[in-house]
Amino acid sequence: MRQTANLLSLLLMAVAIFGACSKEQKQNTPSSSLDESSIAVNLVPVLEIEHSLPIVSSGLIATETESRLSFKVGGVIKNVFVKEGQSVIKGQLLASLDLTEIDAQVSQAKNSLDKTKRDLERGQRLFRDSAATLEQIQNLQTATQVAEESFRIASFNRLYSTIHATNSGKVIRKFLNEGELATPGTPVLVVNSSAQNEWIVKIGLPDVDWVRVKLGDDAKIFVDAYPNVTLDAEVQTVNEGADALSGLYQAEVKVSPGKYKLASGLFARVEILPTTKVKLKGIPVEALVEGSGKNAYVFVVGSSKTAVNKIPVQVAYLNGTQAFISSGLENVQEVITSGSAFLTENSVITINQK
């Protein structure tokens, strides 16, 4: 009987212990379930820095002095003495017209001038003999002056019926050949000053970038012909007026090619580093979600520390692994990075402790 009582007592104690364990397991079940459904995230601080926002544009490489040479008068081209790519020196004869018609015009103007001079001399003798009036002498003087100006015009046109190099450099374009008819002012040759190694890139700037650019700002040039090579440059010209067609402000960036060979017409990407700095927020790129153009979103921890808020931000630009934000993070101290790709606005989070 006594053994039975002891056995019953042990059985009751076991039941009590099992019940306590079962109760404790039930109390812990909600917490365990919460931990399994939550998403572990990391937080990073939002940095506030003053940064020079780069200005990116593009253009074609050209020389600082590029001359589009043409004839002053029209005519048939008799000789073109150079080819594309050929080096020339300043003053070198490059092309000439057939001078048959032009020389005839000069001769005609000279004969007309000689005749008016003879008429004026005869008229002056008659005037001294009172056989001619003062009005007649004045008319002869005027005719002589007109003939002199006509002769000067014909001689000037004769002088510019040939093309000479205005600078030492290379012929980069030849538009017309021998035997073709050249109209006045039509470009025949384009000569650059590459012999002086003065290369520039002409770019167009919108008004928001134009106000930030100053003369002397540093720039970087990237040319497809030289991958992984960065050429130093400097802003040397910024126009004060916008182009009527594009609405952009033209600027010139002077390139320092160093040991690299350049040529007119090479496509170049220009990155200007303005001296004017702006305040931006810096966060890791991985904190951005649902990016579209300059617009994106980031997740931040809610007031309950287990919920999240999704807020829109305006991205100024990306630089490697860093994203610079122009607006949207004014009152935010930390953003979520690791795990942000799996979050929704209804997600429950667990913050990883460092």
Side-chain angles (χ1 to χ4, degrees), residues 234-312:
E234 180 182 292
V235 178
Q236 72 169 8
T237 302
V238 180
N239 289 354
E240 297 293 329
D243 183 78
L245 296 177
S246 64
L248 300 176
Y249 294 83
Q250 300 299 311
E252 291 183 3
V253 179
K254 188 172 183 178
V255 185
S256 299
K259 64 179 181 180
Y260 296 100
K261 179 182 178 181
L262 298 180
S264 293
L266 290 177
F267 179 80
R269 185 170 65 87
V270 181
E271 185 176 297
I272 301 175
L273 305 175
T275 53
T276 304
K277 295 185 177 181
V278 295
K279 289 185 177 181
L280 297 172
K281 304 285 187 177
I283 61 174
V285 172
E286 61 183 0
L288 300 176
V289 295
E290 299 180 16
S292 177
K294 294 291 185 180
N295 301 314
Y297 292 87
V298 297
F299 283 102
V300 298
V301 178
S303 57
S304 65
K305 301 300 182 182
T306 59
V308 294
N309 294 328
K310 182 180 178 182
I311 60 175

Side-chain angles (χ1 to χ4, degrees), residues 91-215:
Q92 179 179 340
L93 178 62
L94 305 181
S96 65
L97 292 175
D98 188 322
L99 300 179
T100 302
E101 181 182 4
I102 299 172
D103 286 343
Q105 292 173 349
V106 174
S107 179
Q108 184 179 15
K110 181 65 170 59
N111 292 334
S112 178
L113 175 61
D114 292 340
K115 178 180 180 302
T116 56
K117 285 182 177 180
R118 291 194 301 269
D119 291 342
L120 178 60
E121 291 175 357
R122 286 195 296 268
Q124 288 174 339
R125 288 196 298 268
L126 294 173
F127 180 73
R128 287 193 294 268
D129 296 336
S130 300
T133 64
L134 178 61
E135 181 182 1
Q136 291 174 329
I137 299 302
Q138 290 175 339
N139 290 339
L140 291 173
Q141 290 175 339
T142 300
T144 302
Q145 292 174 354
V146 171
E148 287 178 347
E149 297 302 326
S150 297
F151 178 68
R152 287 180 59 191
I153 293 173
S155 300
F156 183 80
N157 290 339
R158 169 66 174 78
L159 180 64
Y160 284 93
S161 61
T162 58
I163 295 177
H164 293 78
T166 56
N167 292 287
S168 297
K170 289 186 177 181
V171 179
I172 59 175
R173 294 285 187 280
K174 184 173 75 168
F175 296 108
L176 297 176
N177 296 306
E178 297 174 355
E180 293 189 79
L181 179 63
T183 57
T186 301
V188 177
L189 300 167
V190 179
V191 178
N192 65 18
S193 59
S194 60
Q196 303 174 19
N197 214 26
E198 297 177 346
W199 299 99
I200 61 171
V201 181
K202 296 182 180 181
I203 59 175
L205 300 174
D207 50 4
V208 293
D209 290 336
W210 175 80
V211 297
R212 299 171 49 224
V213 174
K214 296 181 180 178
L215 296 180

Side-chain angles (χ1 to χ4, degrees), residues 306-328:
T306 59
V308 294
N309 294 328
K310 182 180 178 182
I311 60 175
V313 295
Q314 189 79 13
V315 180
Y317 77 102
L318 304 177
N319 185 14
T321 60
Q322 193 80 355
F324 292 92
I325 308 301
S326 57
S327 63

Side-chain angles (χ1 to χ4, degrees), residues 39-50:
I39 300 174
V41 299
N42 292 332
L43 301 180
V44 296
V46 177
L47 305 178
E48 183 173 348
I49 58 176
E50 286 190 350

Side-chain angles (χ1 to χ4, degrees), residues 51-127:
H51 192 76
S52 179
L53 187 64
I55 297 172
V56 178
S57 186
S58 61
L60 299 179
I61 289 181
T63 55
E64 191 169 358
T65 303
E66 188 172 288
S67 304
R68 300 173 67 87
L69 304 178
S70 61
F71 295 108
K72 167 68 171 57
V73 295
V76 178
I77 299 176
K78 183 177 182 180
N79 294 302
V80 178
F81 300 102
V82 292
K83 299 178 180 179
E84 289 188 359
Q86 181 176 335
S87 297
V88 298
I89 60 174
K90 184 176 182 179
Q92 179 179 340
L93 178 62
L94 305 181
S96 65
L97 292 175
D98 188 322
L99 300 179
T100 302
E101 181 182 4
I102 299 172
D103 286 343
Q105 292 173 349
V106 174
S107 179
Q108 184 179 15
K110 181 65 170 59
N111 292 334
S112 178
L113 175 61
D114 292 340
K115 178 180 180 302
T116 56
K117 285 182 177 180
R118 291 194 301 269
D119 291 342
L120 178 60
E121 291 175 357
R122 286 195 296 268
Q124 288 174 339
R125 288 196 298 268
L126 294 173
F127 180 73

